[in-house]
Amino acid sequence: DGGITQSPKYLFRKEGQNVTLSCEQNLNHDAMYWYRQDPGQGLRLIYYSQIVNDFQKGDIAEGYSVSREKKESFPLTVTSAQKNPTAFYLCASSPPGTNEKLFFGSGTQLSVL
Amino acid sequence: SQQGEEDPQALSIQEGENATMNCSYKTSINNLQWYRQNSGRGLVHLILIRSNEREKHSGRLRVTLDTSKKSSSLLITASRAADTASYFCATGGAGNMLTFGGGTRLMVKP
């Protein structure tokens, strides 16, 4: 089955700790995205990547970092600099050269211990 | 900042009734999309309407777009309990970025 896989589904972070959320896709999509969703809210763009080895900051990149070493993978690290990391994190991808349909993973809920 | 704002924020209806959700946006767009999210899950693409289109249908879904008013509506006809979810509009402009609204939470009571 083609799709986007996010792991883990639930993640807990201790004070001062960096944690990494995984996102893998086998749709052969060039573009990948990370969104943050707070309870009862819409999605806000953290980072996006349109091609391997290249990525750009979204609207709320502070306290987060990403890498794009492989087309299939776009991991997100929530650093200790992110003071309010509790949220639902969604990864998405889209076919080359278009934003006309995003495919989403099932999300990771990050909570602070 | 969010481009789109959905209205209402929450909607509760009986099975069989129609559900209408509205989306307003601020800047010019190339397309507007609607997505559905079940609780605790990812979003699923429902329908896209381009800026030169006024109305589009897909099954029980009807989307309208009024670029002069910078608004769109999503109509779900003959709703079912399984339609219970949050619905988001997303606007696509220059580049590949989408900007999402805050969503409408729809509850369909059996």
Side-chain angles (χ1 to χ4, degrees):
Chain A
D1 276 343
I4 299 182
T5 302
Q6 288 188 242
S7 63
K9 180 135 184 86
Y10 301 97
L11 187 58
F12 297 91
R13 193 190 90 168
K14 294 179 182 177
E15 197 78 35
Q17 186 182 39
N18 292 354
V19 292
T20 298
L21 285 61
S22 170
C23 179
E24 304 276 333
Q25 55 100 358
N26 59 6
L27 299 168
N28 200 34
H29 288 169
D30 286 319
M32 297 186 74
Y33 313 82
W34 274 106
Y35 288 93
R36 169 180 171 141
Q37 185 178 31
D38 291 282
Q41 303 294 313
L43 279 64
R44 292 184 290 169
L45 183 64
I46 305 172
Y47 267 99
Y48 63 99
S49 168
Q50 300 200 24
I51 198 168
V52 174
N53 292 324
D54 187 49
F55 49 83
Q56 284 81 40
K57 294 181 179 179
D59 298 323
I60 55 165
E62 186 172 350
Y64 300 97
S65 66
V66 294
S67 62
R68 188 83 188 277
E69 297 175 2
K70 298 186 300 181
K71 187 175 186 177
E72 302 79 18
S73 179
F74 191 40
L76 173 74
T77 297
V78 183
T79 74
S80 57
Q82 173 50 247
K83 298 307 179 189
N84 183 23
T86 297
F88 191 54
Y89 291 86
L90 286 159
C91 179
S93 69
S94 63
T98 178
N99 63 359
E100 293 192 351
K101 183 175 181 179
L102 263 58
F103 294 75
F104 282 85
S106 56
T108 293
Q109 175 64 50
L110 175 63
S111 302
V112 176
L113 288 176
Chain B
S1 60
Q2 291 181 339
Q3 158 81 305
E5 290 193 10
E6 280 93 337
D7 169 55
Q9 290 187 330
L11 180 60
S12 180
I13 60 174
Q14 293 294 134
E15 207 164 27
E17 294 179 339
N18 295 342
T20 300
M21 289 158 264
N22 302 297
C23 171
S24 60
Y25 58 91
K26 298 186 176 103
T27 62
S28 63
I29 61 172
N30 293 333
N31 65 72
L32 187 143
Q33 304 172 39
W34 286 90
Y35 288 79
R36 167 193 167 126
Q37 183 182 34
N38 287 78
S39 181
R41 308 287 296 180
L43 277 69
V44 175
H45 184 269
L46 294 176
I47 194 167
L48 176 149
I49 187 165
R50 292 193 169 82
S51 58
N52 61 352
E53 298 175 313
R54 291 298 166 256
E55 187 171 313
K56 206 160 183 181
H57 296 251
S58 177
R60 293 185 296 113
L61 305 179
R62 182 174 78 105
V63 172
T64 62
L65 179 65
D66 186 337
T67 52
S68 67
K69 294 182 179 177
K70 291 188 168 58
S71 68
S72 172
S73 67
L74 172 68
L75 168 68
I76 303 174
T77 60
S79 63
R80 306 165 181 166
D83 294 328
T84 295
S86 292
Y87 293 82
F88 294 89
C89 68
T91 51
N96 279 358
M97 294 307 101
L98 286 185
T99 305
F100 286 83
T104 291
R105 294 186 301 283
L106 173 65
M107 175 171 289
V108 182
K109 299 175 185 175

